[in-house]
Amino acid sequence: MFLVIPPPSNAVTSRLSLGKIDPGLIAYVDDEPSIAPAKGHTRVSKGDVKIDLQGRTLYTIHLRENMVKNARKLVAELPAPRPPDAKENGIEFRGWHRNEMQFLTKALEKDYGFEAVGMTSWIGSTITAYLSDAVAQRLSLDERVYEVEQNSADVKVQHSAVWNDRYDGAELVTWGKQAIGTDDLLTSSNTVYLVDQTPWPHPDLSIVQSTFNGNSITTGDHGTFIAGIIGAQRNNSFSRGINPGATNFWSVDVGDRSPAAVMSAFDWTLLHSEYNQKYGVINFSLNGQFPSSDFRYDLLYGKLIRRASARSMVAQSAGNKAGSACDYAYCSAVL
């Protein structure tokens, strides 16, 4: 089980900003995962795996939550993690994570001779690293670890064409308005998180703020299109989005589309929304690319996304399948 503490009123300053991290401020998992296998288990990807130049495979190391919880007392006096939108996060990815996860990551790196390339600490406790199969097997036997799994290679984004765009004078009105049956009167100031490729620079998307947490930014057409569908401004040129009044729009890109990278993006959104004491919407326009069991609501990545959705509404696409989103969304029970 996990507990979500209601956000304080606007008059209350975030404890993170005061330099004191409150473990109860953000949803935290205190129980062992229901899927935790016996020690010594490694999970093999169903698709192509990510390999580095040294021939090592990209693995996600899932830590046991009771071990992470026990490490809190060892880091109680350390400074609070960096704010989620600190510039330093684009250079060094560790500093915005929970101190206990930073501590455990360094310990495992030293014990097994690897270097982490990513991690999560807010929606769950994972480390991403390129490992030889032998090191991965040794890690799976460590009492701090409950599972080591291979990461699949980057997924390919696809464009759906279920709905139609239309023109209003010189401005293209994107298909999103037709899909949800609304007009420009429907606007919102809620935070919008775009977990996708970073949009290309565009005058219609000047509202979009970009962030990433330690990996290279990957600009692309798909992220640009999706950002336009959501929030392209109404200015009688280019295109117009569903919510042209959006003012708090973040592009969250972590360098690739592997499962670990996607989860790192969700990890950051949870911290950011809690830090700013605002609920938001996470747009996740990927579907049908990962093994279906990965995103099932009660397993692995689906379970981690559920934790992020305690603070934001997750909107996931299913247009490429032209069917019910219930069959393809992260909460799907379909195997």
Side-chain angles (χ1 to χ4, degrees), residues 162-333:
V162 178
W163 305 96
N164 298 313
D165 299 326
R166 63 180 175 83
Y167 274 92
D168 181 2
E171 192 169 43
L172 183 146
V173 180
T174 60
W175 61 265
K177 288 185 178 294
Q178 177 188 356
I180 66 174
T182 187
D183 54 31
D184 293 340
L185 296 178
L186 177 64
T187 61
S188 170
S189 60
N190 287 80
T191 306
V192 177
Y193 300 105
L194 178 66
V195 176
D196 208 306
Q197 297 169 316
T198 297
W200 292 105
H202 195 284
D204 250 8
L205 299 175
S206 59
I207 57 173
V208 179
Q209 305 173 77
S210 296
T211 185
F212 64 108
N213 50 34
N215 297 306
S216 58
I217 290 179
T218 54
T219 52
D221 292 342
H222 187 269
T224 308
F225 292 148
I226 299 299
I229 291 168
I230 296 172
Q233 299 178 73
R234 180 170 186 171
N235 50 16
N236 200 36
S237 61
F238 304 112
S239 63
R240 187 191 316 164
I242 296 171
N243 183 15
T247 57
N248 196 3
F249 198 150
W250 288 84
S251 171
V252 189
D253 189 320
V254 290
D256 62 48
R257 303 268 70 80
S258 66
V262 171
M263 290 306 102
S264 184
F266 275 94
D267 199 56
W268 186 88
T269 64
L270 177 58
L271 173 62
H272 186 267
S273 60
E274 197 63 76
Y275 184 88
N276 290 284
Q277 303 173 18
K278 291 184 177 181
Y279 287 92
V281 177
I282 302 172
N283 188 85
F284 180 43
S285 290
L286 293 171
N287 60 81
Q289 305 290 352
F290 303 96
S292 57
S293 59
D294 278 355
F295 279 169
R296 208 179 83 174
Y297 73 98
D298 60 339
L299 297 177
L300 293 173
Y301 296 115
K303 201 167 187 179
L304 299 185
I305 294 177
R306 282 174 59 199
R307 295 168 190 166
S309 67
R311 204 62 176 92
S312 296
M313 187 194 79
V314 179
Q316 187 179 3
S317 64
N320 295 337
K321 301 292 184 179
S324 171
C326 296
D327 294 337
Y328 307 103
Y330 75 94
C331 61
S332 172

Side-chain angles (χ1 to χ4, degrees), residues 81-160:
R82 288 195 300 260
D85 51 358
K87 293 182 179 180
E88 294 87 346
N89 293 343
I91 302 171
E92 195 279 311
F93 69 86
R94 301 170 190 249
W96 59 271
H97 284 287
R98 291 181 186 272
N99 289 328
E100 52 265 42
M101 271 301 294
Q102 294 187 51
F103 172 83
L104 287 171
T105 299
K106 289 180 181 179
L108 288 168
E109 286 175 323
K110 181 179 179 180
D111 291 346
Y112 295 94
F114 68 88
E115 182 177 359
V117 297
M119 61 196 300
T120 63
S121 65
W122 302 101
I123 60 173
S125 305
T126 70
I127 303 168
T128 309
Y130 286 97
L131 308 170
S132 67
D133 292 340
V135 170
Q137 181 60 34
R138 287 171 52 211
L139 264 168
S140 70
L141 297 170
D142 192 287
E143 64 178 2
R144 293 162 289 189
V145 176
Y146 79 81
E147 183 176 35
V148 180
E149 84 170 296
Q150 293 179 344
N151 253 248
S152 60
D154 295 5
V155 299
K156 296 179 180 179
V157 295
Q158 296 176 306
H159 300 273
S160 59

